[in-house]
Amino acid sequence: MRNVTDGARGPAEDAADPAELARFVERFALLLVDSGIPRMPARVFGSLLIAEDGKRTAGELAGSLQVSPAAISGAVRYLAQVGLVVRARDPGERRDHYEVSDDLWYEAYANRDKQLEQWSVLMGEGAKVLGVHTNAGTRLDQSRQFFDFLREELPTLMRRWREYQRSHDGESGGSVGRSG
């Protein structure tokens, strides 16, 4: 029986108990499902996170998660659309792989400016249509203000994260978070 650690493995995966890794991936996926991410993309994302190099081919993902290639295709399409994975190909390789970067959370949030701007504009338009003196208009205007606030504060938060990383450099023992 294959499990989430089959396929290309790294030192961390070799040292870990395969059953514990499988449980981690499923627990992580359930956490993501609770936050609104569909189950299969959540499982694929968890599987990529535990990969030592952060990447797997569609075949490796399908085998390790014991699902069809079609399920993987839909999952990685979703994950790429929301900016959590990228499709790539190493020089000389024939097959694409899917990967997460070591700095994926930073990248996922830092690249939200355009989306936040679109939400802000739309909320502002809705507030004008309803009138800011109505309950619904006030709610939409407050939403607009919130998205504007996030857009203003996000660069400062990202800078502070980089400062935090530098001041805690080496605490995790790995190379994660050292890019940028």
Side-chain angles (χ1 to χ4, degrees), residues 1 8 16 18 21-22 26 30-31 36 65 77 81-82 89 102 104 115 119 124 131 138 143 145 150 161 174:
M1 175 184 270
L21 284 176
E26 294 304 325
L30 286 174
L31 184 67
L65 295 172
R77 187 177 324 112
Q81 193 173 27
V82 297
R89 184 179 296 179
D102 288 343
L104 71 107
Q115 187 177 50
W119 289 350
T138 299
S143 297
Q145 291 173 31
L150 284 180
W161 167 244

Coordinates of all heavy atoms in Angstrom, one line a residue, residues 1 8 16 18 21-22 26 30-31 36 65 77 81-82 89 102 104 115 119 124 131 138 143 145 150 161 174:
M1 N 0.8 -1.2 0.0 CA 0.0 0.0 0.0 C 0.9 1.2 0.0 O 1.8 1.3 0.8 CB -0.9 0.0 1.2 CG -1.7 1.3 1.4 SD -2.7 1.4 2.9 CE -4.2 0.6 2.3
A8 N 9.5 10.2 -4.6 CA 10.7 10.9 -4.3 C 10.7 11.3 -2.9 O 9.8 12.0 -2.4 CB 11.0 12.1 -5.3
A16 N 11.2 10.2 9.2 CA 9.9 10.2 9.8 C 9.1 8.9 9.6 O 9.3 8.2 8.7 CB 9.1 11.4 9.2
P18 N 6.2 6.9 8.4 CA 5.3 7.1 7.3 C 3.8 7.2 7.8 O 3.1 8.1 7.2 CB 5.4 5.8 6.4 CG 6.8 5.3 6.7 CD 7.1 5.7 8.2
L21 N 3.4 10.7 9.1 CA 3.4 11.7 8.0 C 2.0 11.7 7.4 O 1.4 12.7 7.1 CB 4.4 11.4 7.0 CG 5.9 11.8 7.3 CD1 6.8 11.4 6.3 CD2 6.0 13.3 7.5
A22 N 1.4 10.5 7.2 CA 0.1 10.4 6.6 C -0.9 11.0 7.5 O -1.8 11.7 7.0 CB -0.2 8.9 6.3
E26 N -3.3 14.4 6.6 CA -4.8 14.3 6.7 C -5.3 15.4 7.7 O -6.3 16.0 7.5 CB -5.3 12.9 7.0 CG -5.0 11.9 5.9 CD -5.6 12.3 4.5 OE1 -6.7 12.9 4.5 OE2 -5.0 12.0 3.5
L30 N -7.7 18.6 6.9 CA -8.9 18.8 7.6 C -8.9 20.3 8.1 O -10.0 20.9 8.0 CB -9.1 17.9 8.7 CG -9.5 16.5 8.3 CD1 -9.6 15.5 9.5 CD2 -10.9 16.5 7.6
L31 N -7.8 20.8 8.6 CA -7.7 22.1 9.0 C -8.0 23.1 7.9 O -8.8 24.1 8.0 CB -6.4 22.4 9.6 CG -6.1 23.8 10.2 CD1 -7.0 24.0 11.5 CD2 -4.6 23.9 10.6
G36 N -12.3 26.5 4.4 CA -12.9 26.7 3.1 C -12.2 26.1 1.9 O -12.7 26.3 0.8
L65 N -1.2 9.7 -2.5 CA -2.5 10.0 -1.9 C -3.6 9.0 -2.3 O -4.7 9.1 -1.8 CB -3.0 11.4 -2.3 CG -2.1 12.5 -1.8 CD1 -2.5 13.9 -2.4 CD2 -2.1 12.6 -0.3
R77 N -4.8 22.5 -10.1 CA -5.3 23.7 -10.9 C -5.8 24.7 -9.8 O -5.6 25.9 -9.9 CB -6.4 23.3 -11.8 CG -6.9 24.4 -12.7 CD -7.9 24.0 -13.7 NE -7.7 22.6 -14.3 CZ -8.5 21.6 -14.0 NH1 -9.5 21.6 -13.4 NH2 -8.2 20.4 -14.5
Q81 N -4.3 28.4 -9.0 CA -5.1 29.6 -9.1 C -5.1 30.5 -7.9 O -5.2 31.7 -8.0 CB -6.6 29.1 -9.4 CG -7.5 30.1 -9.9 CD -8.8 29.5 -10.3 OE1 -9.2 28.5 -9.9 NE2 -9.5 30.2 -11.2
V82 N -5.0 29.8 -6.7 CA -5.0 30.6 -5.5 C -3.6 31.0 -5.0 O -3.4 31.6 -4.0 CB -5.8 30.0 -4.3 CG1 -7.3 29.8 -4.7 CG2 -5.2 28.6 -3.9
R89 N 9.1 22.7 -14.5 CA 9.9 21.6 -15.1 C 11.3 21.9 -14.9 O 11.8 22.9 -15.3 CB 9.5 21.4 -16.5 CG 10.1 20.2 -17.2 CD 9.7 20.0 -18.6 NE 8.3 19.8 -18.7 CZ 7.7 19.6 -19.8 NH1 8.3 19.7 -21.0 NH2 6.4 19.4 -19.8
D102 N 9.7 27.7 -0.3 CA 10.0 27.7 1.1 C 9.4 28.9 1.8 O 9.1 28.9 3.0 CB 11.5 27.7 1.3 CG 12.2 26.4 1.0 OD1 11.5 25.4 0.9 OD2 13.4 26.4 0.9
L104 N 6.4 30.2 0.9 CA 5.0 30.2 0.3 C 4.0 31.1 1.0 O 3.2 31.8 0.4 CB 4.5 28.8 0.2 CG 4.1 28.1 1.4 CD1 2.6 28.0 1.5 CD2 4.7 26.7 1.4
Q115 N -6.0 41.8 -5.5 CA -7.3 41.3 -5.1 C -8.0 42.2 -4.1 O -9.2 42.4 -4.1 CB -7.1 39.9 -4.5 CG -8.3 39.1 -4.2 CD -8.0 37.7 -3.7 OE1 -7.2 37.5 -2.9 NE2 -8.7 36.8 -4.3
W119 N -11.6 44.0 -4.4 CA -12.7 43.9 -3.4 C -13.1 45.3 -2.8 O -14.3 45.5 -2.6 CB -12.2 43.0 -2.2 CG -12.1 41.5 -2.6 CD1 -12.6 40.9 -3.8 CD2 -11.6 40.5 -1.9 NE1 -12.3 39.6 -3.8 CE2 -11.7 39.3 -2.6 CE3 -10.9 40.4 -0.6 CZ2 -11.2 38.1 -2.1 CZ3 -10.5 39.2 -0.2 CH2 -10.6 38.1 -0.9
G124 N -17.1 49.5 -2.4 CA -17.4 50.9 -2.5 C -18.5 51.2 -3.5 O -19.4 52.0 -3.2
G131 N -26.5 53.2 -0.8 CA -26.5 54.4 0.0 C -25.8 54.1 1.3 O -26.2 53.2 2.0
T138 N -23.8 50.7 4.8 CA -22.8 50.9 5.8 C -21.9 49.7 5.9 O -20.7 49.8 6.1 CB -23.5 51.2 7.2 OG1 -24.2 52.4 7.0 CG2 -22.5 51.4 8.3
S143 N -16.7 47.2 4.9 CA -15.9 46.2 4.2 C -14.9 46.9 3.3 O -13.7 46.5 3.3 CB -16.8 45.3 3.4 OG -17.7 44.6 4.2
Q145 N -13.6 49.8 3.7 CA -12.5 50.4 4.6 C -11.6 49.3 5.1 O -10.4 49.6 5.2 CB -13.2 51.1 5.7 CG -13.9 52.4 5.4 CD -14.7 52.9 6.5 OE1 -14.3 52.8 7.7 NE2 -15.8 53.6 6.3
L150 N -6.2 46.9 5.0 CA -5.3 45.7 4.7 C -4.3 46.1 3.7 O -3.1 45.8 3.8 CB -6.1 44.5 4.3 CG -6.8 43.7 5.4 CD1 -7.5 42.5 4.8 CD2 -5.9 43.3 6.5
W161 N 7.8 40.9 9.0 CA 8.0 39.5 8.9 C 9.5 39.2 8.5 O 10.2 38.3 9.0 CB 7.1 38.8 7.9 CG 7.5 37.4 7.6 CD1 7.9 36.9 6.3 CD2 7.6 36.3 8.5 NE1 8.2 35.6 6.4 CE2 8.1 35.2 7.7 CE3 7.4 36.1 9.8 CZ2 8.3 33.9 8.3 CZ3 7.6 34.8 10.4 CH2 8.1 33.8 9.6
G174 N 16.7 24.8 9.4 CA 16.6 24.5 7.9 C 16.8 25.8 7.2 O 17.2 26.8 7.7

